[in-house]
PDB file of all heavy atoms in Angstrom:
ATOM      1  N   TRP A 204      26.682   5.124  48.157  1.00  0.00           N
ATOM      2  CA  TRP A 204      27.383   6.070  49.015  1.00  0.00           C
ATOM      3  C   TRP A 204      28.102   7.161  48.177  1.00  0.00           C
ATOM      4  O   TRP A 204      28.111   8.315  48.558  1.00  0.00           O
ATOM      5  CB  TRP A 204      28.387   5.352  49.910  1.00  0.00           C
ATOM      6  CG  TRP A 204      27.823   4.202  50.682  1.00  0.00           C
ATOM      7  CD1 TRP A 204      26.522   4.025  51.068  1.00  0.00           C
ATOM      8  CD2 TRP A 204      28.542   3.066  51.087  1.00  0.00           C
ATOM      9  NE1 TRP A 204      26.401   2.826  51.720  1.00  0.00           N
ATOM     10  CE2 TRP A 204      27.635   2.203  51.764  1.00  0.00           C
ATOM     11  CE3 TRP A 204      29.888   2.636  51.029  1.00  0.00           C
ATOM     12  CZ2 TRP A 204      27.993   1.003  52.349  1.00  0.00           C
ATOM     13  CZ3 TRP A 204      30.246   1.426  51.562  1.00  0.00           C
ATOM     14  CH2 TRP A 204      29.319   0.591  52.213  1.00  0.00           C
ATOM     15  N   ASP A 205      28.689   6.709  47.051  1.00  0.00           N
ATOM     16  CA  ASP A 205      29.355   7.646  46.190  1.00  0.00           C
ATOM     17  C   ASP A 205      28.338   8.686  45.635  1.00  0.00           C
ATOM     18  O   ASP A 205      28.675   9.884  45.546  1.00  0.00           O
ATOM     19  CB  ASP A 205      30.023   6.925  45.002  1.00  0.00           C
ATOM     20  CG  ASP A 205      31.306   6.250  45.435  1.00  0.00           C
ATOM     21  OD1 ASP A 205      31.844   6.562  46.480  1.00  0.00           O
ATOM     22  OD2 ASP A 205      31.743   5.334  44.679  1.00  0.00           O
ATOM     23  N   LEU A 206      27.153   8.262  45.265  1.00  0.00           N
ATOM     24  CA  LEU A 206      26.122   9.202  44.784  1.00  0.00           C
ATOM     25  C   LEU A 206      25.801  10.227  45.889  1.00  0.00           C
ATOM     26  O   LEU A 206      25.574  11.430  45.575  1.00  0.00           O
ATOM     27  CB  LEU A 206      24.866   8.457  44.376  1.00  0.00           C
ATOM     28  CG  LEU A 206      24.976   7.568  43.137  1.00  0.00           C
ATOM     29  CD1 LEU A 206      23.715   6.762  42.931  1.00  0.00           C
ATOM     30  CD2 LEU A 206      25.279   8.405  41.872  1.00  0.00           C
ATOM     31  N   TRP A 207      25.751   9.757  47.140  1.00  0.00           N
ATOM     32  CA  TRP A 207      25.475  10.654  48.234  1.00  0.00           C
ATOM     33  C   TRP A 207      26.641  11.632  48.439  1.00  0.00           C
ATOM     34  O   TRP A 207      26.414  12.839  48.538  1.00  0.00           O
ATOM     35  CB  TRP A 207      25.213   9.852  49.492  1.00  0.00           C
ATOM     36  CG  TRP A 207      25.143  10.667  50.769  1.00  0.00           C
ATOM     37  CD1 TRP A 207      26.136  10.872  51.664  1.00  0.00           C
ATOM     38  CD2 TRP A 207      24.053  11.452  51.177  1.00  0.00           C
ATOM     39  NE1 TRP A 207      25.717  11.692  52.663  1.00  0.00           N
ATOM     40  CE2 TRP A 207      24.444  12.085  52.408  1.00  0.00           C
ATOM     41  CE3 TRP A 207      22.741  11.696  50.711  1.00  0.00           C
ATOM     42  CZ2 TRP A 207      23.582  12.938  53.107  1.00  0.00           C
ATOM     43  CZ3 TRP A 207      21.916  12.510  51.441  1.00  0.00           C
ATOM     44  CH2 TRP A 207      22.310  13.102  52.627  1.00  0.00           C
ATOM     45  N   TRP A 208      27.811  11.074  48.506  1.00  0.00           N
ATOM     46  CA  TRP A 208      29.014  11.938  48.739  1.00  0.00           C
ATOM     47  C   TRP A 208      29.189  12.987  47.617  1.00  0.00           C
ATOM     48  O   TRP A 208      29.539  14.120  47.865  1.00  0.00           O
ATOM     49  CB  TRP A 208      30.272  11.102  48.879  1.00  0.00           C
ATOM     50  CG  TRP A 208      30.338  10.368  50.200  1.00  0.00           C
ATOM     51  CD1 TRP A 208      29.950  10.812  51.427  1.00  0.00           C
ATOM     52  CD2 TRP A 208      30.870   9.026  50.378  1.00  0.00           C
ATOM     53  NE1 TRP A 208      30.186   9.876  52.374  1.00  0.00           N
ATOM     54  CE2 TRP A 208      30.759   8.755  51.789  1.00  0.00           C
ATOM     55  CE3 TRP A 208      31.401   8.067  49.537  1.00  0.00           C
ATOM     56  CZ2 TRP A 208      31.183   7.540  52.352  1.00  0.00           C
ATOM     57  CZ3 TRP A 208      31.813   6.861  50.097  1.00  0.00           C
ATOM     58  CH2 TRP A 208      31.706   6.615  51.477  1.00  0.00           C
ATOM     59  N   ASN A 209      28.923  12.549  46.365  1.00  0.00           N
ATOM     60  CA  ASN A 209      29.113  13.431  45.222  1.00  0.00           C
ATOM     61  C   ASN A 209      27.948  14.347  44.972  1.00  0.00           C
ATOM     62  O   ASN A 209      27.961  15.144  44.004  1.00  0.00           O
ATOM     63  CB  ASN A 209      29.349  12.588  43.934  1.00  0.00           C
ATOM     64  CG  ASN A 209      30.608  11.747  44.024  1.00  0.00           C
ATOM     65  OD1 ASN A 209      31.531  12.069  44.759  1.00  0.00           O
ATOM     66  ND2 ASN A 209      30.657  10.666  43.323  1.00  0.00           N
ATOM     67  N   LYS A 210      26.885  14.223  45.772  1.00  0.00           N
ATOM     68  CA  LYS A 210      25.669  15.041  45.666  1.00  0.00           C
ATOM     69  C   LYS A 210      24.995  14.872  44.307  1.00  0.00           C
ATOM     70  O   LYS A 210      24.458  15.831  43.698  1.00  0.00           O
ATOM     71  CB  LYS A 210      25.981  16.525  45.924  1.00  0.00           C
ATOM     72  CG  LYS A 210      26.545  16.765  47.338  1.00  0.00           C
ATOM     73  CD  LYS A 210      26.790  18.222  47.630  1.00  0.00           C
ATOM     74  CE  LYS A 210      27.308  18.444  49.032  1.00  0.00           C
ATOM     75  NZ  LYS A 210      27.565  19.876  49.353  1.00  0.00           N
ATOM     76  N   THR A 211      25.058  13.656  43.807  1.00  0.00           N
ATOM     77  CA  THR A 211      24.400  13.333  42.525  1.00  0.00           C
ATOM     78  C   THR A 211      23.245  12.370  42.719  1.00  0.00           C
ATOM     79  O   THR A 211      22.709  11.859  41.693  1.00  0.00           O
ATOM     80  CB  THR A 211      25.429  12.770  41.520  1.00  0.00           C
ATOM     81  OG1 THR A 211      26.073  11.638  42.097  1.00  0.00           O
ATOM     82  CG2 THR A 211      26.480  13.778  41.151  1.00  0.00           C
ATOM     83  N   LEU A 212      22.855  12.114  43.945  1.00  0.00           N
ATOM     84  CA  LEU A 212      21.740  11.203  44.256  1.00  0.00           C
ATOM     85  C   LEU A 212      20.420  11.868  43.835  1.00  0.00           C
ATOM     86  O   LEU A 212      20.101  12.930  44.336  1.00  0.00           O
ATOM     87  CB  LEU A 212      21.736  10.862  45.722  1.00  0.00           C
ATOM     88  CG  LEU A 212      20.722   9.838  46.205  1.00  0.00           C
ATOM     89  CD1 LEU A 212      21.053   8.459  45.655  1.00  0.00           C
ATOM     90  CD2 LEU A 212      20.684   9.783  47.732  1.00  0.00           C
ATOM     91  N   LYS A 213      19.648  11.211  42.958  1.00  0.00           N
ATOM     92  CA  LYS A 213      18.397  11.779  42.490  1.00  0.00           C
ATOM     93  C   LYS A 213      17.224  11.368  43.317  1.00  0.00           C
ATOM     94  O   LYS A 213      16.221  12.087  43.423  1.00  0.00           O
ATOM     95  CB  LYS A 213      18.178  11.413  41.021  1.00  0.00           C
ATOM     96  CG  LYS A 213      19.233  11.957  40.057  1.00  0.00           C
ATOM     97  CD  LYS A 213      18.942  11.537  38.641  1.00  0.00           C
ATOM     98  CE  LYS A 213      19.998  12.101  37.681  1.00  0.00           C
ATOM     99  NZ  LYS A 213      19.744  11.695  36.288  1.00  0.00           N
ATOM    100  N   HIS A 214      17.270  10.135  43.862  1.00  0.00           N
ATOM    101  CA  HIS A 214      16.178   9.650  44.685  1.00  0.00           C
ATOM    102  C   HIS A 214      16.707   9.003  45.933  1.00  0.00           C
ATOM    103  O   HIS A 214      17.865   8.550  45.950  1.00  0.00           O
ATOM    104  CB  HIS A 214      15.334   8.611  43.870  1.00  0.00           C
ATOM    105  CG  HIS A 214      14.747   9.143  42.586  1.00  0.00           C
ATOM    106  ND1 HIS A 214      13.612   9.905  42.547  1.00  0.00           N
ATOM    107  CD2 HIS A 214      15.169   9.006  41.324  1.00  0.00           C
ATOM    108  CE1 HIS A 214      13.369  10.240  41.326  1.00  0.00           C
ATOM    109  NE2 HIS A 214      14.282   9.713  40.523  1.00  0.00           N
ATOM    110  N   THR A 215      15.888   8.925  46.952  1.00  0.00           N
ATOM    111  CA  THR A 215      16.285   8.340  48.228  1.00  0.00           C
ATOM    112  C   THR A 215      16.784   6.914  47.990  1.00  0.00           C
ATOM    113  O   THR A 215      16.131   6.104  47.296  1.00  0.00           O
ATOM    114  CB  THR A 215      15.133   8.347  49.212  1.00  0.00           C
ATOM    115  OG1 THR A 215      14.777   9.702  49.498  1.00  0.00           O
ATOM    116  CG2 THR A 215      15.483   7.642  50.516  1.00  0.00           C
ATOM    117  N   ARG A 216      17.875   6.559  48.629  1.00  0.00           N
ATOM    118  CA  ARG A 216      18.444   5.214  48.504  1.00  0.00           C
ATOM    119  C   ARG A 216      17.489   4.175  49.128  1.00  0.00           C
ATOM    120  O   ARG A 216      16.722   4.417  50.020  1.00  0.00           O
ATOM    121  CB  ARG A 216      19.798   5.139  49.245  1.00  0.00           C
ATOM    122  CG  ARG A 216      20.866   5.990  48.611  1.00  0.00           C
ATOM    123  CD  ARG A 216      22.070   6.106  49.495  1.00  0.00           C
ATOM    124  NE  ARG A 216      21.877   7.034  50.637  1.00  0.00           N
ATOM    125  CZ  ARG A 216      22.654   7.121  51.706  1.00  0.00           C
ATOM    126  NH1 ARG A 216      23.661   6.264  51.862  1.00  0.00           N
ATOM    127  NH2 ARG A 216      22.369   8.025  52.620  1.00  0.00           N
ATOM    128  N   GLY A 217      17.618   2.934  48.645  1.00  0.00           N
ATOM    129  CA  GLY A 217      16.863   1.850  49.199  1.00  0.00           C
ATOM    130  C   GLY A 217      17.568   1.205  50.387  1.00  0.00           C
ATOM    131  O   GLY A 217      18.749   1.391  50.587  1.00  0.00           O
ATOM    132  N   HIS A 218      16.801   0.472  51.190  1.00  0.00           N
ATOM    133  CA  HIS A 218      17.364  -0.272  52.303  1.00  0.00           C
ATOM    134  C   HIS A 218      17.892  -1.586  51.830  1.00  0.00           C
ATOM    135  O   HIS A 218      17.648  -2.018  50.699  1.00  0.00           O
ATOM    136  CB  HIS A 218      16.294  -0.458  53.374  1.00  0.00           C
ATOM    137  CG  HIS A 218      15.570   0.785  53.744  1.00  0.00           C
ATOM    138  ND1 HIS A 218      16.152   1.807  54.499  1.00  0.00           N
ATOM    139  CD2 HIS A 218      14.322   1.231  53.428  1.00  0.00           C
ATOM    140  CE1 HIS A 218      15.255   2.773  54.648  1.00  0.00           C
ATOM    141  NE2 HIS A 218      14.132   2.459  54.006  1.00  0.00           N
ATOM    142  N   LEU A 219      18.590  -2.271  52.733  1.00  0.00           N
ATOM    143  CA  LEU A 219      18.989  -3.665  52.412  1.00  0.00           C
ATOM    144  C   LEU A 219      17.733  -4.551  52.485  1.00  0.00           C
ATOM    145  O   LEU A 219      17.441  -5.319  51.593  1.00  0.00           O
ATOM    146  CB  LEU A 219      20.071  -4.151  53.363  1.00  0.00           C
ATOM    147  CG  LEU A 219      20.742  -5.456  52.928  1.00  0.00           C
ATOM    148  CD1 LEU A 219      21.556  -5.248  51.663  1.00  0.00           C
ATOM    149  CD2 LEU A 219      21.650  -6.007  54.034  1.00  0.00           C
ATOM    150  N   VAL A 220      16.998  -4.440  53.619  1.00  0.00           N
ATOM    151  CA  VAL A 220      15.744  -5.178  53.763  1.00  0.00           C
ATOM    152  C   VAL A 220      14.694  -4.217  54.322  1.00  0.00           C
ATOM    153  O   VAL A 220      14.925  -3.566  55.334  1.00  0.00           O
ATOM    154  CB  VAL A 220      15.891  -6.394  54.746  1.00  0.00           C
ATOM    155  CG1 VAL A 220      14.527  -7.020  55.011  1.00  0.00           C
ATOM    156  CG2 VAL A 220      16.864  -7.418  54.180  1.00  0.00           C
ATOM    157  N   GLU A 221      13.553  -4.156  53.645  1.00  0.00           N
ATOM    158  CA  GLU A 221      12.432  -3.388  54.137  1.00  0.00           C
ATOM    159  C   GLU A 221      11.185  -4.266  54.120  1.00  0.00           C
ATOM    160  O   GLU A 221      10.823  -4.845  53.074  1.00  0.00           O
ATOM    161  CB  GLU A 221      12.179  -2.100  53.339  1.00  0.00           C
ATOM    162  CG  GLU A 221      11.003  -1.292  53.875  1.00  0.00           C
ATOM    163  CD  GLU A 221      10.825   0.012  53.118  1.00  0.00           C
ATOM    164  OE1 GLU A 221      10.422  -0.051  51.938  1.00  0.00           O
ATOM    165  OE2 GLU A 221      11.062   1.085  53.681  1.00  0.00           O
ATOM    166  N   ILE A 222      10.506  -4.357  55.261  1.00  0.00           N
ATOM    167  CA  ILE A 222       9.263  -5.097  55.406  1.00  0.00           C
ATOM    168  C   ILE A 222       8.185  -4.103  55.805  1.00  0.00           C
ATOM    169  O   ILE A 222       8.307  -3.417  56.814  1.00  0.00           O
ATOM    170  CB  ILE A 222       9.357  -6.244  56.429  1.00  0.00           C
ATOM    171  CG1 ILE A 222      10.590  -7.130  56.128  1.00  0.00           C
ATOM    172  CG2 ILE A 222       8.078  -7.044  56.469  1.00  0.00           C
ATOM    173  CD1 ILE A 222      10.492  -7.891  54.826  1.00  0.00           C
ATOM    174  N   MET A 223       7.085  -4.022  55.039  1.00  0.00           N
ATOM    175  CA  MET A 223       6.012  -3.075  55.263  1.00  0.00           C
ATOM    176  C   MET A 223       4.679  -3.773  55.518  1.00  0.00           C
ATOM    177  O   MET A 223       4.416  -4.862  54.954  1.00  0.00           O
ATOM    178  CB  MET A 223       5.864  -2.190  54.048  1.00  0.00           C
ATOM    179  CG  MET A 223       7.061  -1.382  53.632  1.00  0.00           C
ATOM    180  SD  MET A 223       6.738  -0.498  52.060  1.00  0.00           S
ATOM    181  CE  MET A 223       5.234   0.437  52.445  1.00  0.00           C
ATOM    182  N   ASN A 224       3.840  -3.146  56.336  1.00  0.00           N
ATOM    183  CA  ASN A 224       2.479  -3.597  56.498  1.00  0.00           C
ATOM    184  C   ASN A 224       2.363  -5.104  56.721  1.00  0.00           C
ATOM    185  O   ASN A 224       1.462  -5.732  56.152  1.00  0.00           O
ATOM    186  CB  ASN A 224       1.640  -3.197  55.231  1.00  0.00           C
ATOM    187  CG  ASN A 224       1.691  -1.706  54.982  1.00  0.00           C
ATOM    188  OD1 ASN A 224       1.310  -0.913  55.816  1.00  0.00           O
ATOM    189  ND2 ASN A 224       2.151  -1.348  53.781  1.00  0.00           N
ATOM    190  N   SER A 225       3.230  -5.615  57.530  1.00  0.00           N
ATOM    191  CA  SER A 225       3.285  -7.098  57.658  1.00  0.00           C
ATOM    192  C   SER A 225       3.139  -7.518  59.075  1.00  0.00           C
ATOM    193  O   SER A 225       3.375  -6.749  60.048  1.00  0.00           O
ATOM    194  CB  SER A 225       4.646  -7.610  57.076  1.00  0.00           C
ATOM    195  OG  SER A 225       4.720  -7.285  55.700  1.00  0.00           O
TER     196      SER A 225
END
Side-chain angles (χ1 to χ4, degrees):
W204 308 333
D205 285 342
L206 293 173
W207 170 262
W208 286 324
N209 297 335
K210 299 182 179 181
T211 55
L212 184 68
K213 296 181 180 179
H214 301 281
T215 297
R216 294 169 282 166
H218 310 287
L219 193 67
V220 173
E221 181 177 69
I222 307 295
M223 300 175 54
N224 302 303
S225 299

